[in-house]
Amino acid sequence: MKVTTGYSRIQIALHWGVALLILFAWLSGEGAEEAMELVEDGGVVGFVPHVAIGLAILTLVVARVLVRLSRGAPAAPGVPGSLSVKAADWGHRLLYLLMIAVPLGGISVFFLGLEVGQIHGLAANLLMLVVLGHALMALYHQYVLKDGLLRRMMRAD
Ligand code: HEM
């Protein structure tokens, strides 16, 4: 993987755009559950914002992974090979995995009719927990270690 000095404008836009969409998707989860119950009772459901947001997230995350594979990303701050750098790398991998697995779970429920709604909900809650830890670590770097980490996701380089 190519190591760069910073994130590009497109990487930064995708990071914050997807973060916002994930928040909307999580908040609209209950509305989608009610819509599914209506379908199971033989009702007809029109536009479901949660489903549209989920499909947008999946599309943008795939784009994000492709951009990352072609352009690369900056190394996590700290001593290469240290526990904190490994934790950051694995934390990011887990975020990518969940950002792909959660929408795929939603597609399995809504379009394929598989009964994995509960697993989809649990995985979404796990994603929110990992995101919370990720955001706290970013704020810790910015305001306690004062290493300017947040700036990497604000200004393109
Ligand atoms: C749904 C919400 C979020 C998701 C899914 C997410 C996901 C990610 C991922 C996967 C990366 C690694 C990028 C890469 O190198 O390929 C990353 C980097 C980063 N994120 Fe987030 N993020 C979210 C929210 C936030 C928030 C709220 C903050 C700030 C409080 C934040 C700050 C950062 C920073 C500073 C980096 C760069 C870390 C570095 O350069 O090592 N993120 N994010």
Side-chain angles (χ1 to χ4, degrees):
M1 180 75 58
K2 232 186 293 172
V3 178
T4 59
T5 51
Y7 293 101
S8 67
R9 227 190 270 189
I10 183 93
Q11 282 176 308
I12 293 172
L14 285 169
H15 174 269
W16 294 113
V18 168
L20 207 63
L21 286 175
I22 285 178
L23 184 65
F24 289 150
W26 192 65
L27 293 175
S28 61
E30 249 171 68
E33 232 176 276
E34 282 157 22
M36 275 314 285
E37 277 164 25
L38 197 69
V39 172
E40 277 154 20
D41 292 343
V44 178
V45 180
F47 180 72
V48 181
H50 181 80
V51 175
I53 296 169
L55 291 175
I57 291 172
L58 184 59
T59 310
L60 293 177
V61 172
V62 169
R64 198 174 157 179
V65 170
L66 292 177
V67 172
R68 195 192 199 283
L69 289 176
S70 66
R71 185 188 188 266
V79 181
S82 65
L83 193 64
S84 67
V85 168
K86 278 187 193 152
D89 286 345
W90 281 102
H92 291 165
R93 282 180 198 133
L94 182 60
L95 280 169
Y96 282 120
L97 180 75
L98 287 169
M99 284 192 288
I100 289 174
V102 173
L104 283 181
I107 287 172
S108 309
V109 176
F110 198 80
F111 294 108
L112 308 179
L114 300 182
E115 292 186 0
V116 292
Q118 237 183 338
I119 298 172
H120 171 62
L122 281 175
N125 287 341
L126 177 63
L127 172 59
M128 292 313 286
L129 269 180
V130 181
V131 162
L132 185 67
H134 168 73
L136 287 176
M137 280 316 293
L139 295 175
Y140 176 74
H141 272 273
Q142 182 70 18
Y143 296 108
V144 180
L145 301 181
K146 298 190 195 303
D147 58 6
L149 185 79
L150 211 51
R151 211 178 37 228
R152 295 216 304 205
M153 254 322 163
M154 299 283 191
R155 218 173 299 149
D157 190 10

